[in-house]
Amino acid sequence: MSAPRFDRRIQIQRATLADDGFASVEVWADHGPPLWAAKADLSDGERWSAGEVAASVTTRFTLHRTAFARGLTSKDRLLCDGRSFEISGIKESGCRFLELTCSARTDR
């Protein structure tokens, strides 16, 4: 197996609750520095829901396993190439890497 090619710059974002005067709302902000990652698209598809077609892509991002990366959770999200990805899974890949399985809407 060849080593991943870390050729994408990603930014992790984390939500905090803020009071907008009416209710508490989630506000997303950058969390930590931009990271180098390897990106591999796994699948894409469309689904119908309430009369609306939603297109999405499932992507795996591989990161170096650092103290910062080990603190990521599925409540965080990831930005890459101007697209926002929801993190659905995080797993260790050997002792040097973490793999994040993510999904993003492609119809926006």
Side-chain angles (χ1 to χ4, degrees), residues 42-46 56-58 106:
L42 303 178
S43 66
D44 59 0
E46 293 182 349
S56 65
V57 64
T58 301
T106 58

Side-chain angles (χ1 to χ4, degrees), residues 3 9 13 22 30 58 61 89 91 96:
R9 226 33 185 163
Q13 289 194 323
F22 298 103
D30 291 351
T58 301
F61 291 93
K91 71 177 185 175
R96 296 178 37 203

